[in-house]
Amino acid sequence: MDINDLRSLLTVAGLICFLAIVWWAYVSKSSKKGFEEAANLPFAEGDDDGAASRTSHPR
C-alpha cells in the first residue's frame, strides 16, 4: 500500500461522512422537530433585557 492508496481511502471515507451528515440533516424525520425549534430561537421572546449589552467588552 503506497501513499496514493491511503489518499484514496481517506477520500472515500470523507465522502461517506459527508453523505451521512447530509442524510441525517435532510432525511432523518426524528430531528426535524429539533431543527425547527432551533430555527425559531432568534424569534422567541425572552425575559432577558439586553443580555448582549451586559456582556459587552471594553475596547
Side-chain angles (χ1 to χ4, degrees):
M1 180 190 281
D2 63 346
I3 191 72
N4 290 325
D5 292 335
L6 181 62
R7 289 176 181 165
S8 298
L9 288 174
L10 286 175
T11 300
V12 170
L15 177 65
I16 290 172
C17 288
F18 173 75
L19 292 175
I21 291 170
V22 168
W23 176 82
W24 173 72
Y26 290 107
V27 178
S28 179
K29 300 293 182 192
S30 63
S31 60
K32 184 176 181 179
K33 182 180 177 185
F35 288 151
E36 288 178 358
E37 184 178 322
N40 289 324
L41 279 176
F43 305 112
E45 292 187 30
D47 57 353
D48 58 343
D49 296 328
S53 64
R54 287 184 290 189
T55 60
S56 63
H57 299 288
R59 293 189 180 191

